[in-house]
Amino acid sequence: MGVLPREVGFLTECTTLSLYGNQLSGPLPTTLGQMEKLKKLWIDENNFTGSLPSELGYLVNLDDMSIYDNQFEGSLPTELGRLTGLKRIWANNMQLSGSIPSEFGRLTDLENLFLDDNSLSGSVPSELGLATGLKDLRLFKNRLGGALPTELFSLSNLEIAYLDTNRFAGEIPREIANLSKIHDLQLFSNRFSGTIPFAIAALPNLKILRLNGNDLTGNIPGNLGSNQNLLRLSLSSNRLVGTIPSALQQSLGLRRLELDRNSLNGILPDWLGNLEKLMTLNVASNRLSGYIPTSLSTLKHLEEVQLEDNSLQGNVPNEWCALDSLGILNADCAGILPEVACDCCTSIDASKSNRCF
């Protein structure tokens, strides 16, 4: 508890300042900038307030800055761009505002940049594409907007990109094909429009793709899933049309398939029964028709199934009745002439289009 005294700056030989989780409060003393040999600055999980001092830019040997879970406000100092040895910036879950400094493009050794859960605004600077060491970029839950700069997709070492819950708009750049190492790409809850780039489906290491909650149109790329690595695909709440692509059957490890609230047509494919690890199947509120495949009875790990608001017919597999893991089961199985029969549904909610649960 208490405040960090200005005398901390007299520790000029100190290489690690570890003060995380100590309920410290008040502003950071500007004298921190005198600790020129400092390599690790760990002050996260405190109650520090005020703005980040520009004097942090004098810590030229710093390689790790962890300041998250504080109450810092104001802009990120542009002077941080001088710290070219930085490998990690964790500055998330605070009250930072303003734009991301273009000077961050000088941080070519930076591997982790966590700025999520702040109030940052403006566009992502194109210069950030020069930070070629980036592996993990987390900008979610801010007020960032505009189009994503194509330079961002020259980050060939990027493995994780969480850009969701912002105000990004425009098309998803085709240069996304350059992210050959990416395995977790989350762009949901933005304002992206246009079609899903065919190149996104060819990313060889992609495991998690979340594009839900945008304004995407057109067909789901026919090759999506062909990399055989997909674990989660979330495309719900867009304006997608066409059929469920057959290439998805190649991703046998798929656990969550969320395609609800689009305008998809065609049938519910029989090969879905081969996705033995599937936990979530949500295709609600589309234009699917035909019979529920009997092959779905082989799915033993289901936790959530939502089939309602389609034109599906047939029976919900009785085998699902014995699944302790199945907590949500919605289908159009009520009414005078139900489209779907469900022997193990336990209740009917007439206020929700006579769905069974």
Side-chain angles (χ1 to χ4, degrees), residues 277-291:
K277 297 182 179 180
L278 201 62
M279 301 165 66
T280 297
L281 174 60
N282 192 343
V283 295
S285 301
N286 279 288
R287 300 175 181 175
L288 299 173
S289 58
Y291 284 87

Side-chain angles (χ1 to χ4, degrees), residues 150-169:
T150 56
E151 292 85 354
L152 195 64
F153 300 98
S154 63
L155 297 173
S156 58
N157 290 307
L158 200 62
E159 298 175 0
I160 297 173
Y162 294 170
L163 308 181
D164 57 272
T165 322
N166 279 290
R167 301 171 182 175
F168 294 122

Side-chain angles (χ1 to χ4, degrees), residues 150-221:
T150 56
E151 292 85 354
L152 195 64
F153 300 98
S154 63
L155 297 173
S156 58
N157 290 307
L158 200 62
E159 298 175 0
I160 297 173
Y162 294 170
L163 308 181
D164 57 272
T165 322
N166 279 290
R167 301 171 182 175
F168 294 122
E171 295 189 358
I172 300 173
R174 284 172 169 73
E175 288 81 0
I176 203 166
N178 298 327
L179 303 182
S180 59
K181 294 183 180 179
I182 195 104
H183 60 78
D184 193 344
L185 179 61
Q186 307 209 19
L187 304 179
F188 66 90
S189 296
N190 278 292
R191 301 172 182 175
F192 290 113
S193 58
T195 59
I196 300 174
F198 191 81
I200 211 170
L203 294 171
N205 295 296
L206 191 62
K207 294 182 179 180
I208 298 174
L209 177 61
R210 298 188 66 187
L211 303 179
N212 45 298
N214 282 289
D215 193 31
L216 298 170
T217 57
N219 294 302
I220 301 173

